[in-house]
Amino acid sequence: MASHSKAGAALAALREELVGDVFAPWDAGYDEARTVFNAMIDKRPAVIAQCVDEDDVVRAVRFGRDLDLNIAVRGGGHSVAGSAVNDNGLVVDLRHMRAVSVDPAAEAVRIAGGATMSDLDRACRPHGLATTGGRASTTGVGGFVLGGGTGWLDRSFGLAVDNLLAVELVTADGERVHASADENPELFWGLHGGGGNFGVATALTLRLHPLPDFAIALLLYLPEFGREVTRTYREVIAAAPDEASGAVLYLTGPPEGFVAPHLVGSLLCGALLTYAGPEEDLRKLAQPLLALPHEQEIVGAMPYADVQCMLDDPPGMRNYWSAEYLTGAPDAYVDVFCAAGEALPPGGTILLLFPQGGAIAAGPHDSPVPYRDAPWAVHPFAIWEDPADDERCVRWVRDVRAGARPYSTGAVYLNFIGDEGTDRVEAGLGAENTRRLAGLKRRYDPDNVFRFNHNIAPV
């Protein structure tokens, strides 16, 4: 860190030059500006620069470099690892950069770096278009896409990163770089899963797909039917077209409109079928699940942007997640999965088993997303309020992972995990890809300025 006088002068200059707001620890609004959705993360940056455009991002990065500050980048702030903030460094906060511009004729959309999934989905909806988004409306688009991007539409339209057309980036030197298939193609390749390692993504351009109809079936069962539900769901998906996706899930009935009052607070097994098509096709597909004894059903057409809000993770809770990609979901694993669901810690925690296949498996195999070929993934998603429950909830997530290990492909989706060590980063990128990405990192960020991420060391 530079001397106090130099730092003070630089901070004063940044406040003057930045169009957006600048927060230091003594400023009103600092605590609000440093808070992320995961209450387990409590970091105190030296400076938070709330940028309003790309020029602001360049100014902020150059300020950070001049003072030799580590730089964290905040898009949606939804990283479970807390990568959006740091201690004693600079946060480049993109939350005021949320513009979404849809080009219906080109079936493409340009999204500013701080936009959330809800911003994207709602801008595309009037045009009858969509692209693969996350499973929560509050997720930031930038981090989600650059980390690979899986959601309810991935079997239809591929992973989010399969739909990436261009990225506008501010590098560690404060330079603007445009990456696409034609321009800086090696960097563009690295952005297909390499996350925020190479710079600040100030805008992304994504391919859109027609989505005139969307429908869901959400059925809630008592947990004793869990094994039958999971096996039935597996068979339904095996015979289903790519338009079908969803998950089997265990949850504690939340006090939401879609849960009957008598089920609130009870352990439930759920089957969610999402369908990128008309309701009547979904109903036919859901018949075997509807035939099982269930407590509640919601079946019908629903705007995709609304479905995206159903499983939103409330801010201010404590979060710990992980994932394993599976070679299959045989009966022996169904038993393991359901036992983990029956041991679900009470509160907001959810256990998901969701299908892959379809356009995910058919997508380009040269990008650094090694989980493409796995047919299933399990995602323990622990959410709780009381710090006294930390140990129990973290242990449950690790137990779910351990139970899945005999069935695991070894790959992982990095957006689903916190800091699980360098081996897991390599598992999320592929060993050979990691070596190639390290060369790219050395070129664009040799000093590892952007290290608050699933980090690729510039070796």
Side-chain angles (χ1 to χ4, degrees), residues 292-339:
L292 298 176
H294 53 280
E295 299 299 299
Q296 194 167 352
E297 65 179 73
I298 298 171
V299 185
M302 190 184 282
Y304 168 68
D306 293 350
V307 174
Q308 285 289 74
C309 303
M310 284 179 70
L311 293 178
D312 278 359
D313 183 2
M317 303 291 280
R318 301 173 80 75
N319 282 253
Y320 187 81
W321 320 334
S322 196
E324 288 291 338
Y325 280 76
L326 309 173
T327 55
D331 288 350
Y333 181 68
V334 169
D335 290 343
V336 170
F337 170 75
C338 293

Side-chain angles (χ1 to χ4, degrees), residues 364-386:
H365 276 67
D366 61 341
S367 52
V369 285
Y371 43 85
R372 187 182 291 284
D373 290 327
W376 291 91
V378 63
H379 180 28
F381 192 100
I383 310 169
W384 68 101
E385 202 162 4
D386 186 348

Side-chain angles (χ1 to χ4, degrees), residues 6-242:
K6 181 186 175 186
L11 180 61
L14 183 69
R15 289 188 195 273
E16 189 67 33
E17 291 165 12
L18 211 74
V19 179
D21 295 322
V22 176
F23 293 94
W26 53 87
D27 291 327
Y30 169 81
D31 278 329
E32 193 179 344
R34 73 183 179 88
T35 300
V36 289
F37 88 105
N38 184 359
M40 292 182 87
I41 309 300
D42 183 20
K43 301 282 177 70
R44 300 188 65 83
V47 180
I48 299 168
Q50 292 191 335
C51 302
V52 300
D53 57 20
E54 191 178 51
D55 289 345
D56 265 3
V57 173
V58 170
R59 290 182 191 110
V61 169
R62 289 183 174 163
F63 162 83
R65 293 310 308 271
D66 286 348
L67 294 186
D68 199 23
L69 293 170
N70 286 326
I71 301 176
V73 183
R74 178 171 186 155
H78 211 263
S79 148
V80 69
S83 304
V85 283
N86 58 23
D87 281 320
N88 307 315
L90 168 68
V91 172
V92 177
D93 186 338
L94 307 179
R95 277 178 294 173
H96 292 306
M97 297 171 60
R98 294 176 72 155
V100 178
S101 170
V102 180
D103 183 343
E107 295 192 342
V109 59
R110 183 181 182 276
I111 306 127
T116 64
M117 217 50 73
S118 189
D119 298 328
L120 169 62
D121 295 336
R122 296 199 182 280
C124 294
R125 185 184 162 192
H127 306 284
L129 297 167
T131 194
T132 300
R135 294 175 174 86
S137 69
T138 49
T139 305
V141 178
F144 166 79
V145 173
L146 300 182
T150 160
W152 305 130
L153 295 175
D154 54 12
R155 281 171 43 90
S156 297
F157 303 149
L159 298 168
V161 82
D162 298 344
N163 295 288
L164 185 62
L165 299 174
V167 181
E168 289 154 51
L169 208 66
V170 173
T171 67
D173 293 334
E175 300 297 323
R176 295 172 171 84
V177 175
H178 187 269
S180 66
D182 302 324
E183 207 175 336
N184 298 303
E186 180 70 3
L187 174 61
F188 188 56
W189 170 85
L191 293 167
H192 282 66
N197 271 284
F198 308 108
V200 185
T202 56
L204 301 92
T205 305
L206 297 170
R207 184 185 299 111
L208 295 174
H209 304 265
L211 187 68
D213 297 298
F214 196 76
I216 71 159
L218 175 63
L219 292 96
L220 299 177
Y221 307 83
L222 296 177
E224 52 261 37
F225 297 105
R227 285 162 180 76
E228 197 176 349
V229 170
T230 308
R231 289 194 296 266
T232 304
Y233 189 93
R234 180 187 65 196
E235 305 316 320
V236 166
I237 286 290
D242 293 352

